[in-house]
Amino acid sequence: MRFNAKDLALLARRPSGYFDKEGKLKICRVVGDGKLVEPRERWCRLKGNLLFLMKNKSSEASEVVILERCWIVEFRSKTNVSIVLKFQSGEPDLYLEAASKPDCESWAVVLGEANSEGLQNKIQQLRRLIMEIKEERSSDEAQQFLPSSQIDSLGEPQFTSIQRIANEPKLEFSLACKDLVAATRDRKLNTFIQVSVVHPAEHILTRYSSTEIVEGTRDPLFLTGVTFPPEYPIYEETKIKLTVYDVKDKSQDTVRTSVLPDHKEPRADVGRSFLGCTTFRVGDLVKSKEQQLTLTLRTSDGGKTVGTIEVSLVKMGELEDGETDNITTDAQDQKCALVRECTATEGLSGKDNLPSLNAVLKNPICKLYRFPTSDNKWMQIREQMAETTLSFHVPKELINLHIKEDMRRNQELKDLGELAPHWDNMRKSVIAHCDQMLSLYQDTLAELGKHTGSSFKSSCSKGEKTLEFIPINLHLQRMHVRSPRLKDALYDVITVGAPAAHFQGFKNGGLRKLLSKFEAERRNTGYQCIYYSPENTAKAKEVLSNINHLQPLISNHADLLLNSASQHSPDSLKNSLKMLSEKTEMFVHAFKDQLVRSALLALYTARPGCVLKKPAVPRTSAEEGADLQHQDHPSQIKRQDSIPHHSEYDEEEWDRVWANVGKSLNCVIAMVDRLLEKDNVGNVKEGENDPSAADCKVLPTGGDWYEQLYPLVITLKDCMGEVVTRAKQSMAFVLLQELACGLPQCLMLTLRRDIVFSQALAGLVCGFIIKLHTGLRDQGFLQQLHTVGLLVQYEGLLSTYSEEAGMLEDMAVGISDLQKVMFKVIEAKSEDFLPVITGRREHYIIEVQLPAKMFELLPQEIKEGKLLRMYPVLFNVGINEQQTLAERFGDTTLQENINQENLELLKEYYKLFTEKMPPDCLPHFQEQNDLKGLLENLHQNIQAKKRKNVEIMWLAATICRKLNGVRFTCCKSAKDRTSMSVTLEQCSILRDEHQLHKDFFIRALDCMRSRQTQGALNESDDPETGCLTDNKPTSRHFYPVALLLVSSHLLVVWLILSLALLLAKYQ
């Protein structure tokens, strides 16, 4: 070519706004042996396909590079990106490097597009898009010729919907290519297809999903399908664009961009180059007789054919009975099976359970895999991952209950009455601290009420104070398997980050260590307060809870009794008396504990006028074993006789007050019996000769029933009120001692425990609801649920090194606290199916609401409100490189103790199960392993103390599934380790229970762990963390297994070198 040097020099001196891009770059030539000449900094200006190189911004252009018949190669690293221009003419390569990574990436984009062929490609693409838009608008333009009345009736553009089964995907199809053309004859292509959608109403091209990469063939059979969920706006008029890319080398960190780049697509796929594209209408595929389209792939300019694409319609649930031998050799080497993505929640019980499930699950993502079985048949696997609204609902309900409970406790402390100065100052200090904590709970609840957006907490938010009650990455992972000859099977795993107080940190360990240390310190408090054991403190809370629960019930039943008497209704009178008697007996029984008596004495000595005769001394361990005796007769406290207005404490007074309630109830019963006997309605009751009736002054039985019962009921209420007043004050005094002995550590530990419990409970409620919906038609499971209870097995993958040891301690306590949670199933009275939480700390009841049709399927015991028990167990095995350090240089005692303790709990559940349940109620598995043998094997593996013994996790999971339990898998953030464990478990189930072909085990595992098939997810976003990442693995992209199995010696060397470099850096 001939160029006018003067014109080029004049062009290079144009103002900055004239150029497409300009800036400083380090530039050098690459000589023939591959060596680089020393790079020199140049001011570069790009205009069209001309790149001007200048020494500085104001100097003359020293060189002009014509960007024709060349291509761009990027070399990426963690810190920068460099560019190499390669020329087809054989000229030396031109090396370019920018000052920053983003700047270099932007240069790569503009240089890749700076050529005449690229401009022509843009023009052709715009022309095709204009033609597509014109075709879509033709129907709109036709409306101009309609009468105005018809136009008004049409309203929005009318599109033809795709008719499918309710709650099933609207459209599914699979893809395959044939006769793809490579750049060179001897090159084997590594291809994938990117799927984009042109919406008929918006005329905007939207990237939707992509297939897996198929390596080494020009006829790839893509076993990754495409699915559009039920709510997706897709119609017969919708157009779908399929773009085929060639991946040069996945293992190298380079990106090759062709001369004709597809600039509209994200540049996130490593080493890809454009091959061809095609477009089709959805209606053409749906209405085709063979339900298949064969489309021609063309280059961007539309002039060259580079192969064909076969699009085959897929209908969910239609199994293929054909043999797998018809798959070509190239296809046999591929590593993934049919995958589909959708966002539809599936329920096995039909439409009736969809509203209640949809109230709990949100934003589910489904995939479908098709794998060959050992007998050369196809099985379909639907995999679903869904968020849950319970991530925020349960913590908000809990915090609200905490606030009410703490406000009630503060009021009870204020109602203690007049206390001696020492105790009064202690009470003021406790109330002040409690008010601060109450304000913290209220602020947290207010912040959670403002939360909008995602229904789960991402891992990058685990350190946020306002979200510390929210579980991390709580999801349902469901696998639904359909085999040719086996019954459909459903396998659920709840994945969640380890319940732990991340914001508070783990510098001093977790709850397990902190609680033990706090209890030891509290025993040695000294004379400031009276020590009550944790058991006594828990008993005091239980007594207060029973009072608050039973007193209004008794009062209500007493009123109902009087109402029945006023109506002169014998049957109603009997029923009211029965309920009143039952609740009063429960009320009286709640105060039989010796703790109430001893607390009353302690409270008496704390009143003004009582002083310490001698100071208390720290108690020995032998004295601690006799707490009740010390509390009954505190030798260090004596009353001062010089104060006459106080009488001596009468220890029998409480017995008389407490017994008056029972006597008053007997009087009511005797009177009702006499009234019914005289009325000749009921049978003659033997209560006339009841000696307890001798204590009652029975009124004459003539006259109105109401008038005769009223004074007796009032007496009962008065006696009960006296008992409640004394018992409340005594128990509040016990709680005062608990709080005063450990301020402020006691309240901070309570807060930490509440945080951990909130995270654990949210997962448990989710798991229970999902399990209940799944087993509604399984009578054996429902019988087990109300007869024995539900086994909940947690699989922990935390190491016992550094902070994760503290997380494990928190998690162990949080899961153990779930033993005190009870479930109750009720019939929903409205469209709100979210669970309702009642109760107090250490005693919560979760009311799960079901629609009427589902509620009728339950056994009578559950429908009558029987409380359902939970049996949570935790087995932990650290599997990462930090666990190797812990095993070599640290301590694994924590993990061993947790596994041993929970093994005993699992054995207790199995013993209870075998005593109350028939063996035929258990689910049937292909692998008929004896449960007793599995438990023994688990016991041996725990005792063996083998390093990274993952057999413990597999055995525990198998036992849980065989006992109809709920499975949880947890690690620090419920991402990499959790996902590896879940996918390995799923493939193992397919192999053991559904005859997955042995040659496809690794391929199935690779498919489930692949990031490439993430679909419509933004490739720069982590779907679980919600954070922008830089080449970080997403929730389905995992570190290689080899990283977990690397030699411990190499890890030691790596650790030493890292420490040496770190020291050198800061010296």
Side-chain angles (χ1 to χ4, degrees):
M1 291 185 183
R2 293 180 179 272
F3 299 96
N4 189 319
K6 292 183 179 180
D7 291 342
L8 289 176
L10 181 63
L11 183 62
R13 290 195 297 270
R14 287 290 188 93
S16 298
Y18 174 77
F19 296 95
D20 299 332
K21 188 174 179 61
E22 63 177 333
K24 289 183 179 181
L25 291 174
K26 290 184 178 180
I27 299 178
C28 67
R29 292 285 183 181
V30 182
V31 297
D33 56 358
K35 295 183 179 179
L36 296 177
V37 180
E38 183 66 24
R40 296 183 180 182
E41 190 174 85
R42 291 287 184 265
W43 185 263
C44 300
R45 287 181 161 181
L46 177 65
K47 180 59 179 177
N49 60 350
L50 299 179
L51 179 64
F52 297 94
L53 307 181
M54 309 162 66
K55 289 186 178 180
N56 53 62
K57 189 174 183 179
S58 59
S59 65
E60 298 288 337
S62 60
E63 184 177 354
V64 180
V65 180
I66 302 174
L67 302 175
E68 295 292 344
R69 300 171 65 188
C70 65
W71 68 89
I72 314 298
V73 176
E74 295 180 29
F75 291 92
R76 295 177 180 266
S77 67
K78 292 183 178 180
T79 56
N80 57 20
V81 178
S82 58
I83 310 168
V84 174
L85 287 175
K86 292 183 176 290
F87 299 90
Q88 295 181 11
S89 61
E91 295 182 29
D93 299 343
L94 187 64
Y95 176 85
L96 309 174
E97 183 178 341
S100 65
K101 185 176 179 180
D103 192 21
C104 198
E105 290 178 343
S106 64
W107 272 104
V109 172
V110 296
L111 290 175
E113 299 175 352
N115 54 78
S116 58
E117 294 179 354
L119 294 175
Q120 293 176 5
N121 174 53
K122 294 178 184 178
I123 293 172
Q124 291 293 335
Q125 287 181 328
L126 289 174
R127 284 177 178 173
R128 287 200 305 272
L129 186 57
I130 290 172
M131 293 299 295
E132 292 173 356
I133 293 174
K134 284 183 177 180
E135 293 176 5
E136 299 297 336
R137 286 183 177 175
S138 60
S139 60
D140 299 336
E141 293 172 355
Q143 292 186 17
Q144 298 177 4
F145 302 98
L146 295 176
S148 58
S149 59
Q150 294 187 29
I151 294 177
D152 295 337
S153 63
L154 289 175
E156 295 295 327
Q158 299 297 315
F159 302 114
T160 307
S161 300
I162 302 174
Q163 300 298 326
R164 295 304 298 269
I165 302 173
N167 204 45
E168 289 292 328
K170 284 186 177 179
L171 178 68
E172 299 173 294
F173 58 85
S174 59
L175 301 167
C177 292
K178 288 186 178 180
D179 303 323
L180 295 180
V181 178
T184 58
R185 292 184 178 180
D186 57 345
R187 170 164 172 73
K188 289 189 176 182
L189 298 175
N190 303 324
T191 53
F192 73 94
I193 299 178
Q194 183 171 287
V195 182
S196 303
V197 179
V198 180
H199 296 279
E202 301 174 358
H203 311 294
I204 297 175
L205 188 67
T206 304
R207 185 185 177 201
Y208 184 74
S209 66
S210 59
T211 67
E212 84 281 7
I213 297 174
V214 179
E215 301 179 11
T217 178
R218 299 189 182 186
D219 300 316
L221 174 62
F222 293 102
L223 301 173
T224 303
V226 181
T227 296
F228 294 89
E231 64 273 15
Y232 194 87
I234 188 169
Y235 309 94
E236 291 187 6
E237 294 80 7
T238 303
K239 289 192 175 182
I240 296 178
K241 179 183 177 182
L242 306 175
T243 308
V244 181
Y245 290 95
D246 173 31
V247 179
K248 184 177 180 182
D249 190 349
K250 293 192 297 181
S251 62
Q252 295 182 3
D253 196 21
T254 63
V255 175
R256 178 180 184 275
T257 306
S258 67
V259 181
L260 307 173
D262 189 0
H263 67 285
K264 294 291 183 182
E265 305 296 344
R267 298 170 51 82
D269 296 289
V270 176
R272 76 178 187 181
S273 62
F274 174 83
L275 285 182
C277 63
T278 187
T279 305
F280 71 92
R281 290 177 72 254
V282 171
D284 296 339
L285 175 61
V286 174
K287 295 179 180 179
S288 61
K289 293 182 179 180
E290 298 180 355
Q291 297 187 336
Q292 180 175 309
L293 296 178
T294 301
L295 308 172
T296 301
L297 277 174
R298 296 186 181 276
T299 56
S300 297
D301 57 7
K304 183 180 178 181
T305 301
V306 293
T308 60
I309 289 185
E310 290 184 356
V311 184
S312 302
L313 190 66
V314 176
K315 293 185 178 180
M316 176 61 188
E318 293 186 3
L319 295 174
E320 300 181 34
D321 296 329
E323 305 293 330
T324 58
D325 296 337
N326 59 356
I327 301 177
T328 62
T329 304
D330 289 335
Q332 292 278 11
D333 296 332
Q334 298 168 19
K335 295 187 176 181
C336 293
L338 178 63
V339 180
R340 69 182 183 93
E341 299 210 7
C342 72
T343 55
T345 307
E346 181 190 22
L348 294 182
S349 300
K351 299 180 181 179
D352 295 336
N353 66 348
L354 292 181
S356 55
L357 269 182
N358 290 336
V360 175
L361 299 180
K362 188 177 181 181
N363 298 331
I365 299 175
C366 282
K367 295 183 177 182
L368 181 71
Y369 307 91
R370 181 180 60 183
F371 297 127
T373 60
S374 56
D375 56 354
N376 292 330
K377 301 292 182 181
W378 289 105
M379 63 175 168
Q380 290 182 349
I381 300 93
R382 170 176 287 176
E383 186 185 27
Q384 173 183 303
M385 183 176 71
E387 304 169 15
T388 172
T389 56
L390 300 176
S391 293
F392 281 82
H393 174 75
V394 170
K396 287 193 288 187
E397 289 274 306
L398 269 182
I399 296 174
N400 191 36
L401 288 177
H402 294 332
I403 292 173
K404 293 179 179 179
E405 180 180 350
D406 291 348
M407 292 178 65
R408 188 166 54 246
R409 178 196 59 197
N410 291 356
Q411 187 60 43
E412 289 166 352
L413 292 177
K414 295 175 182 178
D415 293 341
L416 274 176
E418 188 178 3
L419 297 176
H422 167 72
W423 300 107
D424 191 50
N425 292 333
M426 179 185 295
R427 174 172 58 178
K428 292 178 181 178
S429 176
V430 167
I431 292 176
H433 282 86
C434 289
D435 286 339
Q436 293 179 4
M437 296 303 297
L438 184 61
S439 176
L440 188 149
Y441 282 103
Q442 291 171 336
D443 293 342
T444 301
L445 183 60
E447 290 297 323
L448 290 180
K450 300 175 184 177
H451 177 83
T452 58
S454 177
S455 58
F456 73 99
K457 182 174 78 172
S458 58
S459 60
C460 64
S461 302
K462 60 176 171 281
E464 293 187 16
K465 179 175 177 57
T466 56
L467 299 178
E468 57 185 346
F469 284 85
I470 311 301
I472 302 171
N473 278 339
L474 177 60
H475 288 85
L476 165 68
Q477 185 78 19
R478 165 170 288 185
M479 183 174 69
H480 182 197
V481 184
R482 290 181 174 178
S483 301
R485 297 186 179 90
L486 299 176
K487 187 179 180 181
D488 286 7
L490 203 62
Y491 303 93
D492 289 340
V493 178
I494 307 296
T495 60
V496 63
H502 293 275
F503 177 78
Q504 297 190 18
F506 309 95
K507 182 178 180 180
N508 299 317
L511 276 173
R512 194 176 171 105
K513 180 186 295 183
L514 293 173
L515 289 173
S516 176
K517 181 180 178 181
F518 172 75
E519 186 60 29
E521 292 176 350
R522 200 162 72 91
R523 290 172 180 167
N524 300 321
T525 305
Y527 66 89
Q528 291 90 349
C529 56
I530 303 173
Y531 172 75
Y532 288 94
S533 67
E535 293 78 12
N536 285 335
T537 303
K539 183 64 179 178
K541 295 178 181 178
E542 182 181 352
V543 170
L544 286 173
S545 176
N546 289 335
I547 291 174
N548 295 326
H549 174 68
L550 292 174
Q551 184 183 14
L553 287 180
I554 295 174
S555 179
N556 182 51
H557 288 305
D559 293 338
L560 290 177
L561 181 70
L562 292 177
N563 185 48
S564 300
S566 64
Q567 297 177 0
H568 210 278
S569 173
D571 293 336
S572 177
L573 191 67
K574 285 182 180 179
N575 294 333
S576 299
L577 179 63
K578 180 181 178 182
M579 297 301 299
L580 177 64
S581 301
E582 290 178 356
K583 299 302 179 183
T584 307
E585 288 175 3
M586 293 172 60
F587 179 83
V588 173
H589 181 74
F591 304 109
K592 286 185 177 180
D593 197 277
Q594 182 69 20
L595 175 65
V596 180
R597 184 193 304 272
S598 61
L600 282 170
L601 175 59
L603 176 60
Y604 171 77
T605 58
R607 298 294 185 190
C610 292
V611 298
L612 294 176
K613 188 73 174 180
K614 59 179 180 179
V617 296
R619 288 131 60 85
T620 64
S621 58
E623 292 171 327
E624 291 173 4
D627 286 327
L628 288 177
Q629 288 78 357
H630 282 262
Q631 292 164 9
D632 289 342
H633 307 284
S635 59
Q636 70 272 27
I637 299 177
K638 286 192 177 181
R639 186 183 170 281
Q640 212 175 33
D641 294 331
S642 60
I643 300 179
H645 61 272
H646 271 284
S647 59
E648 293 291 343
Y649 179 72
D650 185 1
E651 295 186 15
E652 296 182 357
E653 182 181 2
W654 167 247
D655 292 334
R656 291 192 295 270
V657 173
W658 170 66
N660 284 340
V661 177
K663 292 180 179 180
S664 299
L665 176 64
N666 289 335
C667 291
V668 173
I669 295 173
M671 176 56 68
V672 171
D673 288 344
R674 289 176 181 272
L675 292 174
L676 293 176
E677 179 183 3
K678 184 175 181 180
D679 201 56
N680 294 322
V681 175
N683 296 324
V684 178
K685 192 173 176 66
E686 297 178 359
E688 296 179 2
N689 300 324
D690 189 351
S692 61
D695 297 327
C696 306
K697 296 181 181 179
V698 181
L699 296 175
T701 57
D704 185 65
W705 286 8
Y706 179 88
E707 294 178 354
Q708 298 183 58
L709 280 175
Y710 180 78
L712 300 179
V713 170
I714 293 300
T715 302
L716 174 63
K717 287 184 176 181
D718 292 342
C719 293
M720 185 177 63
E722 180 69 17
V723 170
V724 166
T725 301
R726 298 194 181 203
K728 268 192 173 183
Q729 291 182 344
S730 64
M731 295 299 98
F733 188 75
V734 173
L735 298 185
L736 175 64
Q737 309 308 310
E738 179 202 26
L739 295 170
C741 288
L743 284 178
Q745 293 88 350
C746 177
L747 294 176
M748 293 306 298
L749 281 177
T750 301
L751 173 63
R752 188 183 188 104
R753 197 164 188 171
D754 288 344
I755 291 170
V756 175
F757 179 77
S758 172
Q759 298 177 25
L761 183 63
L764 176 64
V765 175
C766 176
F768 176 86
I769 292 176
I770 298 301
K771 185 66 177 179
L772 181 63
H773 280 77
T774 304
L776 268 178
R777 301 185 182 276
D778 185 350
Q779 295 302 317
F781 165 73
L782 295 176
Q783 181 185 355
Q784 174 187 350
L785 186 61
H786 71 79
T787 305
V788 184
L790 184 64
L791 177 66
V792 184
Q793 186 252 326
Y794 288 80
E795 176 183 296
L797 303 172
L798 294 172
S799 68
T800 54
Y801 181 81
S802 187
E803 286 190 346
E804 289 198 7
M807 296 178 199
L808 181 57
E809 290 182 349
D810 277 359
M811 182 179 177
V813 174
I815 292 174
S816 177
D817 287 345
L818 295 178
Q819 297 179 26
K820 302 168 185 176
V821 176
M822 309 287 279
F823 280 81
K824 181 180 179 181
V825 184
I826 61 176
E827 182 178 353
K829 302 301 182 183
S830 66
E831 295 300 320
D832 184 8
F833 298 105
L834 290 174
V836 179
I837 305 178
T838 59
R840 58 175 177 82
R841 289 182 179 92
E842 301 180 358
H843 185 73
Y844 288 106
I845 297 177
I846 316 298
E847 295 181 352
V848 177
Q849 304 186 74
L850 290 182
K853 292 183 179 180
M854 297 176 63
F855 188 75
E856 290 301 320
L857 300 175
L858 297 173
Q860 190 62 32
E861 293 85 352
I862 298 180
K863 288 195 287 187
E864 290 176 354
K866 183 174 182 179
L867 297 180
L868 311 175
R869 290 197 58 186
M870 300 293 110
Y871 293 84
V873 293
L874 166 65
F875 294 96
N876 186 84
V877 177
I879 60 173
N880 63 352
E881 64 276 9
Q882 288 188 340
Q883 184 62 22
T884 302
L885 299 176
E887 291 170 345
R888 288 286 184 180
F889 309 108
D891 185 15
T892 61
T893 305
L894 173 64
Q895 176 177 284
E896 294 167 2
N897 291 341
I898 289 175
N899 289 344
Q900 185 61 47
E901 293 168 5
N902 286 272
L903 174 64
E904 299 304 319
L905 295 176
L906 183 58
K907 288 181 177 179
E908 290 179 10
Y909 179 83
Y910 174 70
K911 180 181 179 182
L912 187 64
F913 180 88
T914 54
E915 291 175 352
K916 296 187 176 182
M917 293 294 297
D920 57 354
C921 71
L922 291 175
H924 297 283
F925 291 87
Q926 297 298 312
E927 289 288 329
Q928 295 297 333
N929 295 323
D930 180 54
L931 271 171
K932 189 175 182 180
L934 289 172
L935 280 169
E936 183 60 32
N937 196 1
L938 178 61
H939 174 78
Q940 293 174 0
N941 276 275
I942 291 176
Q943 294 296 325
K945 299 181 181 180
K946 179 183 175 182
R947 293 178 180 175
K948 295 185 179 180
N949 190 0
V950 294
E951 188 72 13
I952 293 176
M953 298 187 298
W954 175 245
L955 288 169
T958 304
I959 294 171
C960 176
R961 286 195 300 271
K962 288 181 176 292
L963 287 173
N964 283 320
V966 179
R967 287 266 299 114
F968 283 79
T969 300
C970 312
C971 67
K972 181 178 180 180
S973 301
K975 287 169 56 183
D976 299 324
R977 281 173 279 178
T978 296
S979 300
M980 290 191 74
S981 174
V982 170
T983 50
L984 179 60
E985 178 183 355
Q986 290 180 165
C987 289
S988 299
I989 291 173
L990 294 178
R991 177 194 61 196
D992 298 337
E993 303 296 333
H994 300 277
Q995 290 82 47
L996 172 66
H997 197 288
K998 60 180 181 180
D999 295 336
F1000 277 76
F1001 181 84
I1002 298 299
R1003 301 178 189 180
L1005 196 60
D1006 289 342
C1007 181
M1008 290 183 174
R1009 292 178 174 179
S1010 173
R1011 176 187 181 184
Q1012 185 67 26
T1013 58
Q1014 282 301 301
L1017 295 175
N1018 189 328
E1019 294 184 4
S1020 64
D1021 292 341
D1022 186 330
E1024 289 194 354
T1025 64
C1027 304
L1028 290 179
T1029 57
D1030 183 15
N1031 294 329
K1032 291 182 180 179
T1034 64
S1035 63
R1036 308 293 306 201
H1037 182 70
F1038 315 104
Y1039 298 110
V1041 179
L1043 181 63
L1044 303 179
L1045 306 178
V1046 68
S1047 169
S1048 57
H1049 300 288
L1050 292 178
L1051 282 174
V1052 173
V1053 174
W1054 168 81
L1055 178 63
I1056 295 174
L1057 292 176
S1058 300
L1059 290 174
L1061 291 173
L1062 188 63
L1063 292 174
K1065 179 179 179 180
Y1066 290 98
Q1067 282 181 351

